[in-house]
Amino acid sequence: MNIVAMVLAGGEGTRLHPLTAEQPKPAVQFASGYRLVDFVLSNLVNSRISTIYVLAQYKPEALMNHIATAWAPWFADGDGTIKTLLPRSNTLGGQFKGTADAVYQCLDLLHAHSPDLVAVFA
């Protein structure tokens, strides 16, 4: 079965302030350098879902660096992909308007993969 996962990881995390003052909620560290986004990414990888798009928006640099250093090497052999995506430049304020808009902006990627199933996680 061909599955594409979309992880919505753009949260500002106002309830976790000051931890989220400089980074998005999914990039907040805990327990030896792991980050909150690692929960869902670990579950996806261990479920053998090998096409993963992480949709970021709020202060995405820390999250993008974490994905590139901690997760991209798992996909270096070419068996799948993990990529961080930002909102398209034509969106209002450079942000997704919600879950449906985030998925809608990535329809071209979904069509390119022709998946049997699209898994969307927050």
Side-chain angles (χ1 to χ4, degrees):
M1 179 177 273
N2 182 18
I3 302 173
V4 173
M6 303 186 84
V7 178
L8 305 176
E12 186 175 344
T14 55
R15 291 178 290 181
L16 291 178
H17 194 72
L19 296 175
T20 56
E22 299 298 321
Q23 62 188 351
K25 181 172 53 176
V28 169
Q29 290 187 2
F30 70 97
S32 301
Y34 292 103
R35 302 194 184 236
L36 293 178
V37 72
D38 292 338
F39 282 109
V40 69
L41 295 178
S42 177
N43 284 324
L44 292 170
V45 169
N46 287 316
S47 297
R48 307 224 189 291
I49 296 174
S50 60
T51 304
I52 303 169
Y53 292 101
V54 180
L55 283 62
Q57 59 184 3
Y58 174 75
K59 296 186 178 182
E61 296 83 13
L63 183 62
M64 293 172 73
N65 290 336
H66 177 68
I67 298 297
T69 58
W71 288 100
W74 286 81
F75 298 88
D77 62 2
D79 191 27
T81 186
I82 185 167
K83 292 184 180 176
T84 307
L85 304 175
L86 299 174
R88 304 278 164 93
S89 60
N90 60 349
T91 60
L92 179 64
Q95 294 191 355
F96 298 116
K97 296 175 193 144
T99 302
D101 181 55
V103 174
Y104 179 76
Q105 287 190 38
C106 298
L107 282 180
D108 56 333
L109 290 172
L110 296 177
H111 288 300
H113 288 286
S114 298
D116 300 312
L117 182 68
V118 177
V120 180
F121 294 90

